[in-house]
Amino acid sequence: PTLTIGDAGAEDAKIVFDGNAQDYHIGLDDSADTLVIGKGSALGTTAHIITDADGHVTKPLQPTFLANVSNDSVHTDLATGVTIINFGNEAYDVGSNVSSVGVFTAPVTGKYQFNTSMNFADTTTDTTLLEVFIKASNREMRGCLQNVANIQAGDYQSFGFSTMVDMDASDTCFVQVAVTGGGGVINIISGTASAPLSFFSGTLIC
């Protein structure tokens, strides 16, 4: 048995699930030749999942962000200790989940992928250990650079890593840098908005 919705005409076709508090729809967006799952009864107005004829699947509302250090003067001469990095320049932030200083707040419970890359310069003292943390409410993921002493002016040392973190709704995640050994005078280099050298990004995986 086959149930056919539509008559091959150039028009949208959809099924609407009429709920008490919220409606949802599944439909064919004929103008774009895509199958859409979304919120509400109007096709295409709030699309959650879109698949095209070639099998590409997109989630336009999936929490996703990319933010970078806005300029080189934001973090200069980091003293020995722990500093929360200010990623105040957003390239994009789907869902508006990142604060003005680069702290991500999970909108829903799930598994999130986070990535960071940092560029350091102008070490003028004998810093021996530099640690970068992706710090979430449930997890503290750590990577470290050793023997970073005597980075001269104009020279750079970069470090980055990625991790997947379990988060509950309203949990937060941000990047920290910890400096130990010597005087620990370190600058973080920003790069530009289109080519950032120090950035923080993430997305909801599942």
Side-chain angles (χ1 to χ4, degrees), residues 7-201:
D7 55 6
E11 58 188 359
D12 296 342
K14 64 184 177 182
I15 300 173
V16 175
F17 299 87
D18 187 2
N20 179 38
Q22 185 61 63
D23 299 344
Y24 291 93
H25 65 265
I26 300 174
L28 166 65
D29 184 341
D30 191 77
S31 61
D33 290 329
T34 56
L35 179 68
V36 178
I37 299 175
K39 184 176 73 172
S41 58
L43 183 65
T45 55
T46 309
H48 292 177
I49 301 173
I50 302 173
T51 179
D52 66 13
D54 295 318
H56 305 125
V57 178
T58 57
K59 301 176 182 179
L61 302 181
Q62 192 79 335
T64 305
F65 72 93
L66 170 62
N68 62 285
V69 176
S70 57
N71 59 72
D72 289 352
S73 64
V74 172
H75 290 294
T76 58
D77 297 344
L78 267 66
T80 300
V82 177
T83 300
I84 297 176
I85 305 305
N86 183 341
F87 294 97
N89 186 27
E90 293 181 0
Y92 50 83
D93 179 13
V94 179
S96 300
N97 301 301
V98 180
S99 74
S100 60
V101 294
V103 176
F104 174 81
T105 300
V108 296
T109 298
K111 307 296 189 297
Y112 291 80
Q113 173 79 35
F114 293 107
N115 321 282
T116 189
S117 182
M118 308 292 295
N119 268 262
F120 304 98
D122 302 334
T123 298
T124 58
T125 58
D126 295 329
T127 300
T128 56
L129 179 62
L130 189 66
E131 296 179 282
V132 179
F133 301 82
I134 294 178
K135 186 175 178 63
S137 299
N138 293 335
R139 298 278 181 269
E140 181 178 272
M141 312 304 287
R142 178 182 304 187
C144 68
L145 287 172
Q146 298 187 31
N147 301 319
V148 294
N150 302 319
I151 302 175
Q152 301 301 314
D155 293 336
Y156 301 92
Q157 189 152 356
S158 62
F159 178 76
F161 72 103
S162 301
T163 187
M164 188 178 293
V165 177
D166 56 312
M167 300 184 74
D168 299 320
S170 300
D171 280 356
T172 59
C173 185
F174 50 87
V175 176
Q176 287 182 334
V177 170
V179 178
T180 57
V185 181
I186 291 178
N187 298 334
I188 295 177
I189 305 303
S190 65
T192 64
S194 60
L197 294 176
S198 298
F199 61 85
F200 180 36
S201 64

